[in-house]
Amino acid sequence: MTNVEGLREQLRQRGYLSHGIERWFALDPWSSRTFWAELATVAAKAALLMAVFAALPCVAIMIVRNHPVSAVETLEMFVIYAAAWFVIAFALVVAVALLMKIRPELPIDTSRGLLIVSIVASALLIVPLALWWFEFDVPASRPELLAGGALAVILFVVSSIVVSAALLSFTIYELKRIPAIHQKPRTIPLGAGAAVLIALLLVPAYAAPERHEGPPLQVVTTPMQRHVALIAVDGLSDAILRSRPDLAGEFQSAAAVPRIAGTSTTERWASVGTGVPASLHGVHALEGVQLAGGAHILQSVSRADVVLRHAGKRLPLPPTIRRRDFVWEIFAGRGVPSLAVNWWTAPDLRSGALTSVGQESIFSAAHGDALAVDSGAIRRFLQGIDEGHPRFATVYLPALDVILNRAAGDPAARLAMSIRALDGVLALVRELRHRGYDVLLAGMPGESQSGRAVVAATLPIDKQPDSAFDIAPLLCDLAGFPASKEMPGHSVTSRIASYGNRIRSEERPKLNDEYYQSLRSLGYIR
C-alpha cells in the first residue's frame, strides 16, 4: 500500500473521506459529473455538522429572550435554524472548494495554509450569526451574551475543523501526512458534543414550567365614591397638550413626566396600565411568531430572522401574553364596575363587574384609518358608559401617534388630521365631565417623538406624578385599593406585596387577518 493509500485509509476510518474524494481536484469541474457528485457529498457532510453547531447559539439566544418555551418549540426552532444553516454552510464549502480549484496558486500546500483557509471560511460563517444577533430590538442581557458567545466560539472552532477536513485532500498529496488537527477521529466526538448541547437547550423547558394561577388575591378596600375615567392618548406630549389651551384648560393640573422606556407601543402602555415594568407584565412587542403546534408567542425575534418569521405564523400579540392584570381588572375582580375599551392585549370580555372591548373589532372596522380607530373607540366607550355607568372607565386612543409617527403623507394633511384627533380628545373629556366623571389624561410621545409624557387631571391630586409609572398607583388610591410593591410609582396609601399573576385562558390565539392587515396599514407592523 502506497503512502497516499495509507493516508486515504486512515482518513476514511476517521470519517473524513468518501470513496475517491481526494480526486476531485484532479477532475475537470465543467465536464465531470464525478467532480460535482463528490463535491456535493463532502459539502453536505460538512454542512450537516456545521449546521448543528450553528443552530445552537440561535436557539439558546431565543430561549433566553423568549422563555418559557416548550420542549417541542425548542426542537422545532432547532430544526428550522439547522435547515437554514445547512444551506448557508453547504454553499460556503462549495464556494471555498471551487475557489481553491480555480485558483490553485492559493497557499494551501501546507497545513498552515489549509488552517488559514479554514479559519477564514469559519469567520465568514460567523458573519450571518452576528448580523442576526445585532438585529434584535433590545440589547443582549448578560446571560444571553455568555450563552450565545460561548456557543459562537464553539461554532468557530468546529467549523474550522470541519472545513479543513472537507478540503483535506489538498494536503495529503503535498505533505504525505495528516495534519496534526486531524490525527484523531473527530466526527464521533463532535456529534456527541452536539447531542449534549442540544439536550442542554431543553433544560429551561423543563426546569421552570409555567405556573397555573389560583384565585385572585382578596384585599381590604375603601368603597370607591368617585366615578373616574382614564383617557390614554398615544402620541400626546406635554408640549402638544400645552399648545391646545382649550384642551389643557379642562384640567386642574398637568404634570410633565418622563416617557416609560420600552421597545414598542404595546410594552409602554402595558406598563402604564399594569403599573409594573415589562419584566413582570411580559409584553414586549406588537406582534409575535407562533410555531406550528406551539402554545407560546415568541415576541423577541430578530428583524433579520426571515427564516423563523416565514416558518411560523406572524400575529398580533393576543391577550394571553400579558402576565399581570391592568389595574381596572384588579378593581373589577373585587367588585368595582369597570369598563375598558381598545387597550393592547385586552380581550373582548363581559365577566362579573368588568366589560372589556378589545382592539380587534375596533381596528378591523377602521380599515387602516387612524381617525376611525379613535372615533370607533370613543363611540364604544361612551355607549358602555351610558349602558352601565361604571365606577371606573378607560379608553386608549392611538390616532395621534399614528398620524405623527407612522403615517406617510403631506405634512399639511397630517397637521389637519392631528388637529382633528385632538378635537376628538377634547370632545370626549367634555362628554365625560358632563356625565359626572373625574378625568385623568395620560399622554406619551410616540417612538419617533421627542418631548415628555404628560399626566393631567380634572380633580385635585395630593402629589403630582413624577413618572408615567405613577398613574397605576394613583388610580389605586382613587379607587380605594392598595398599590403593590411591584409598582415603582408613588402611592399615598399602604402597599401589598403583589396582586400575583393574571389568570389566563389556555386557548391558543387565533389570527384575525383583517386586524393584522389593519395594523400593517396603520404602520404598527412592517
Side-chain angles (χ1 to χ4, degrees), residues 84-252:
W85 278 111
F86 177 85
V87 175
I88 296 173
F90 183 88
L92 178 65
V93 173
V94 170
V96 172
L98 291 178
L99 178 62
M100 296 171 72
K101 169 66 180 174
I102 296 170
R103 299 291 301 275
E105 68 275 12
L106 290 174
I108 58 170
D109 56 346
T110 65
S111 57
R112 179 181 298 176
L114 180 64
L115 182 61
I116 291 173
V117 171
S118 302
I119 289 175
V120 171
S122 300
L124 291 176
L125 196 64
I126 295 295
V127 170
L129 175 63
L131 293 176
W132 172 85
W133 203 353
F134 181 76
E135 286 297 313
F136 280 95
D137 291 324
V138 181
S141 63
R142 182 173 297 178
E144 180 184 337
L145 284 173
L146 292 174
L151 290 172
V153 171
I154 293 174
L155 168 63
F156 180 80
V157 174
V158 168
S159 299
S160 299
I161 296 173
V162 173
V163 171
S164 64
L167 305 177
L168 199 55
S169 58
F170 276 109
T171 61
I172 63 175
Y173 285 107
E174 298 291 340
L175 302 179
K176 301 298 187 291
R177 63 180 173 82
I178 302 175
I181 195 174
H182 302 293
Q183 290 292 326
K184 296 181 179 180
R186 299 291 180 182
T187 304
I188 295 178
L190 291 178
V196 171
L197 291 174
I198 293 170
L200 290 176
L201 289 178
L202 301 177
V203 170
Y206 293 105
E210 288 188 277
R211 293 174 296 177
H212 296 282
E213 297 82 4
L217 175 69
Q218 297 303 312
V219 295
V220 177
T221 64
T222 303
M224 185 176 183
Q225 302 300 323
R226 299 176 180 272
H227 286 76
V228 178
L230 169 66
I231 304 175
V233 183
D234 207 354
L236 179 65
S237 66
D238 175 67
I240 292 176
L241 176 64
R242 297 185 187 283
S243 71
R244 288 290 301 260
D246 51 350
L247 179 57
E250 294 289 328
F251 300 95
Q252 289 191 24

